[in-house]
Amino acid sequence: MLVKVALPLPIPALTYSVPSEIVQHVRVGTPVIVPLRKKMQIAFVLELNVSLDGDFKVQDIHGLAEEYPSLSRDHVDFLVWLSKYYHYPVGALIQSALPPHPELEVEKIFSVAQNPDDFPDEKKRALQLRGGKRWGLLQWLFENGPTASIEAQHKSTLQSLIKSELVQVSMRAKEIELKTSTTKSESPNLQEAQLNAVAKIGTALEKNSFTCFLLEGVTGSGKTEVYLHAAQRALASGGGVIVLVPEIALTPQLFHRFQSRLQEPIALLHSGLSDRERSRQWQLLQSGRVRIALGARSTILAPVKDLRLIVVDEEHEGAFKQEDRFRYNARDAAILRAKLGNATIVLGSATPSLESYLQVKSGRYALLRLENRVTAHPLPAVEIVDQKKSTMTGLLTRELIYEIGLMLKEQKQTMLLLNRRGLASHIHCESCGFVPECTNCSVSLTLYGIARELRCHYCGYSQKQIRVCPKCGSEKMESGSPGTEALEKTAQECFPEARVLRIDRDSMSAKNSLEDALTSIARGEVDIIIGTQMIAKGHDFPNVGLVGVVNADASFSFPDFRSSERSFQLFTQMAGRAGRGDFVGKVLLQTYQPEHPSVQFSAKHDFRSFAEQELRQRHSFQYPPYTRLARILVSDASDARARSLAEAIAKDLLNYDQDGVIVLGPAPSLLQKLQNRFRWNIILKSKDTSALNAVLKTTLKRWNHKIGASASLSVDVDPSSLF
Ligand code: ADP
Ligand code: ZN
Ligand code: ZN
């Protein structure tokens, strides 16, 4: 029999022949060992009974890789489908899905084959000498049967018995200890909207057919309670559950909530796990001893058995998209996995993605709505401050400074959002306009005042701050747009007594400092929290009374077709940080464009109107969700080579003249030079998914062999941005 196997390498599936001795053990998903370029490699069987197209010499599979866990057929189907959809080699995909060392942890087992009482008398007497320790241990082992646990004090006796071959040693896979919660939390009485949602999800779970729900509800409307009840139902009917969250930082909270409610061990998966720990969790899931996996995006690749329910919390989040190598979106992968496995999926959000919202409108997803906050607190009042009409101290308007002052008096906390790090976005020479750029990337360097340094955010390059222009010798080096470091300074100057804490990637570099920072905020040791969008997500601080969005324009002015949507989501999420406690919070949005829809609709907490107007825009420009996009990325160490390759591919694409696939570009990426490689993009746009996929497939096939050693070619299906 010929089979197709995937090797965990960036190559397509290969064909091997199965020797007759092992043919009865080979199924889809079986791990095998195959020869490749004179080396033995682990591989997974993808397809049985394949035929060869062409006259190749096929090699034999060397044997079974018994120490590796096999993949289930469903799981293999899912991975193969993902590989086709995202045009990513199936072997490399399996490599990223599998834990790096799926070795079993083994332990030694000691056993006695024969009843020592049946030994010849002479042998018995010899064993009973010297206090009879050896005799005693032999008898104990025989009575207790094979065991791994021998007390330390008997170790030397055991060794001597093994030496004289009276005790046999064998290996077996070690049982992994399961951790369950020590605390138990009871469910509150659900409100009517929650009950309704749980009932509908329950009905879908019983039907065993694919259903996708969009659970729309503001933060605090009780979505997580709905997930918990849905998970309980899925588990009760013997099914497995996957819960996806966008951020590792949010997993511990949710993990404890699920574990204490469900009273079941849960596999917590994220990139911070050690290889061994990941391998352990993987085995527990595969054996079915653990039925729930919770974690960041790669959790969707985990081998959960009999998967019945998938929950994707904050489904709109960009973090579900992986931006390098295997460029998949975990939310979309989750929908696909549910579809293939006839499972139920719940997408939850306060600000659903326009993709999901359009699916609801067209009747393909079912909408569940939680319209009110569970706690009776109304949503915070949002005030739009026109920066054109206000007086500014640094980045702060008079209005925002006034409100911060009130908070300090009331001993409440303020959160200020600014999505720009450092002291200034860049520096430039007043005389000649020179801007220092990174030597490896085509971006200006960010000024960090405390460190007196200029740094590149993309590759980490840094150099000393420049006081004199290297081009014209002028000493007038001026700062560009102020960042979080500058805001921290202003806040401290305006409120010298206030305790100010800055949270961004620069201040939070050490491993635990984010957690420490969050703890000190929760303890009330901080008055003003300044941060990038790191502070927008999920954290629940009851004493935050005021939220200030310092520069709303920076968000929606970003040149991308999704920037309005992202800004709306960000502003709404920030507004959700205010007034989580026993009072009504307040939000100030500082902007130069108060009429911008992202500002207007988020101020009114009006997702519907925002979505409707944004969908009209997308429709008229034929952007997703009305079309599908794909991006072909060409990069090379030489800009000229990258460009001519991109041009050749684009020209070739026009020749295909595929119906309904529009080719745009090539154009240099926004970050044209990144880590010394030059990047060019070709954008494909189509309403017809299969036509788009066909074009991508032929293009990759034609060009992958022709691109030359220094160039690289990759595909980004459903890109999250066009750069
Ligand atoms: P969301 O996930 O939408 O932000 P949660 O499920 O976390 O909302 O609920 C917010 C808070 O309200 C939580 O502390 C939760 O325990 C509580 N809660 C949720 N539903 C109820 C309910 N029906 N009765 C009382 N408290 C509830
Ligand atoms: Zn100059
Ligand atoms: Zn750089």
Side-chain angles (χ1 to χ4, degrees), residues 1-9 11-20 22-23 26 30-53 56-63:
M1 173 171 67
L2 295 181
V3 294
K4 249 196 186 141
V5 306
L7 289 103
L9 296 171
I11 52 173
L14 300 175
T15 304
Y16 284 86
S17 118
V18 186
S20 54
I22 59 167
V23 90
V26 171
T30 303
V32 290
I33 296 165
V34 299
L36 182 78
R37 295 191 205 106
K38 301 199 179 111
K39 270 175 53 190
M40 288 302 164
Q41 292 271 11
I42 176 92
F44 286 87
V45 175
L46 291 186
E47 218 182 313
L48 305 176
N49 299 313
V50 298
S51 53
L52 273 188
D53 40 345
F56 301 103
K57 192 173 170 319
V58 178
Q59 289 187 284
D60 268 359
I61 286 178
H62 180 77

Side-chain angles (χ1 to χ4, degrees), residues 601-654:
F601 292 120
S602 63
K604 294 186 198 116
H605 308 286
D606 187 356
F607 168 72
R608 293 301 157 115
S609 306
F610 172 78
E612 289 300 332
Q613 93 97 39
E614 183 62 17
L615 278 178
R616 280 196 294 278
Q617 292 279 325
R618 300 278 181 91
H619 190 260
S620 61
F621 292 101
Q622 285 300 294
Y623 272 126
Y626 293 100
T627 52
R628 294 269 318 287
L629 295 175
R631 179 168 64 131
I632 297 176
L633 286 105
V634 178
S635 76
D636 197 303
S638 134
D639 193 29
R641 277 204 303 267
R643 180 186 184 145
S644 65
L645 177 58
E647 278 168 352
I649 294 172
K651 198 167 152 225
D652 185 33
L653 281 166
L654 292 175

Side-chain angles (χ1 to χ4, degrees), residues 438-443 445 456-461 674-675:
C438 174
T439 53
N440 313 317
C441 316
S442 57
V443 287
L445 295 169
C456 171
H457 284 172
Y458 291 92
C459 72
Y461 167 86
L674 184 64
Q675 309 206 350

Side-chain angles (χ1 to χ4, degrees), residues 273-529:
L273 292 184
S274 68
D275 291 351
R276 162 158 290 196
E277 193 48 42
R278 213 152 83 83
S279 167
R280 239 180 231 167
Q281 303 289 2
W282 183 274
Q283 285 168 35
L284 286 171
L285 289 169
Q286 213 155 28
S287 66
R289 288 177 69 206
V290 172
R291 305 189 291 165
I292 317 168
L294 184 151
R297 65 181 170 234
S298 65
T299 307
I300 197 56
L301 305 173
V304 173
K305 270 187 117 176
D306 303 317
L307 184 63
R308 302 280 357 115
L309 175 71
I310 305 178
V311 171
V312 185
D313 192 26
E314 310 285 357
E315 65 90 21
H316 63 275
E317 274 288 341
F320 284 123
K321 179 77 198 292
Q322 179 155 305
E323 293 292 2
D324 59 352
R325 298 191 304 270
F326 174 37
R327 298 166 192 269
Y328 70 112
N329 182 317
R331 178 208 48 213
D332 299 341
I335 295 167
L336 173 79
R337 189 162 177 186
K339 227 180 239 173
L340 291 175
N342 292 318
T344 300
I345 177 164
V346 180
L347 310 174
S349 177
T351 53
S353 64
L354 292 178
E355 279 75 8
S356 301
Y357 182 64
L358 189 63
Q359 296 286 358
V360 166
K361 281 179 55 130
S362 64
R364 279 188 288 269
Y365 296 175
L367 182 68
L368 304 169
R369 239 179 132 177
L370 305 179
E371 294 194 55
N372 303 308
R373 277 186 160 182
V374 177
T375 48
H377 311 308
L379 289 162
V382 181
E383 192 182 307
I384 302 168
V385 182
D386 189 344
Q387 285 175 268
K388 295 192 295 287
K389 294 184 183 150
S390 182
T391 35
M392 309 278 297
T393 308
L395 285 163
L396 299 175
T397 55
R398 191 181 53 218
E399 290 84 347
L400 187 48
I401 291 174
Y402 174 76
E403 295 289 341
I404 297 172
L406 286 185
M407 284 298 119
L408 290 172
K409 265 196 213 115
E410 291 177 29
Q411 299 191 334
K412 287 187 190 136
Q413 293 165 310
T414 298
M415 242 183 201
L416 300 177
L417 171 82
L418 178 62
N419 251 339
R420 203 161 41 216
R421 291 148 60 196
L423 187 62
S425 57
H426 64 274
I427 58 172
H428 60 267
C429 169
E430 282 278 87
S431 311
C432 75
F434 170 77
V435 176
E437 285 196 353
C438 174
T439 53
N440 313 317
C441 316
S442 57
V443 287
S444 52
L445 295 169
T446 300
L447 175 65
Y448 284 84
I450 295 170
R452 299 208 172 86
E453 252 183 13
L454 295 166
R455 284 187 210 149
C456 171
H457 284 172
Y458 291 92
C459 72
Y461 167 86
S462 70
Q463 65 179 58
K464 278 228 138 28
Q465 187 177 344
I466 302 172
R467 306 262 179 210
V468 177
C469 174
K471 228 174 155 186
C472 75
S474 153
E475 288 184 15
K476 288 192 201 138
M477 294 301 292
E478 293 292 324
S479 299
S481 318
T484 42
E485 212 184 291
L487 180 59
E488 185 184 15
K489 246 168 115 183
T490 312
Q492 201 68 79
E493 279 160 16
C494 294
F495 304 101
E497 305 87 64
R499 296 161 298 174
V500 181
L501 175 71
R502 177 164 58 90
I503 299 188
D504 56 30
R505 247 189 283 167
D506 305 303
S507 68
M508 297 291 133
S509 45
K511 213 175 168 208
N512 281 326
S513 47
L514 178 61
E515 230 165 275
D516 295 347
L518 299 178
T519 314
S520 69
I521 297 170
R523 286 207 196 116
E525 296 161 2
V526 179
D527 302 310
I528 303 175
I529 304 134

Side-chain angles (χ1 to χ4, degrees), residues 181-206:
S181 179
T182 44
T183 54
K184 182 160 171 53
S185 71
E186 298 295 335
S187 166
N189 290 324
L190 293 189
Q191 298 191 335
E192 203 169 311
Q194 287 172 310
L195 284 172
N196 173 48
V198 173
K200 288 205 170 122
I201 297 168
T203 313
L205 281 169
E206 278 160 25

Side-chain angles (χ1 to χ4, degrees), residues 188-191 194 217-225 257 374-375:
N189 290 324
L190 293 189
Q191 298 191 335
Q194 287 172 310
V218 295
T219 26
S221 61
K223 296 187 293 298
T224 309
E225 274 309 322
R257 211 164 148 192
V374 177
T375 48

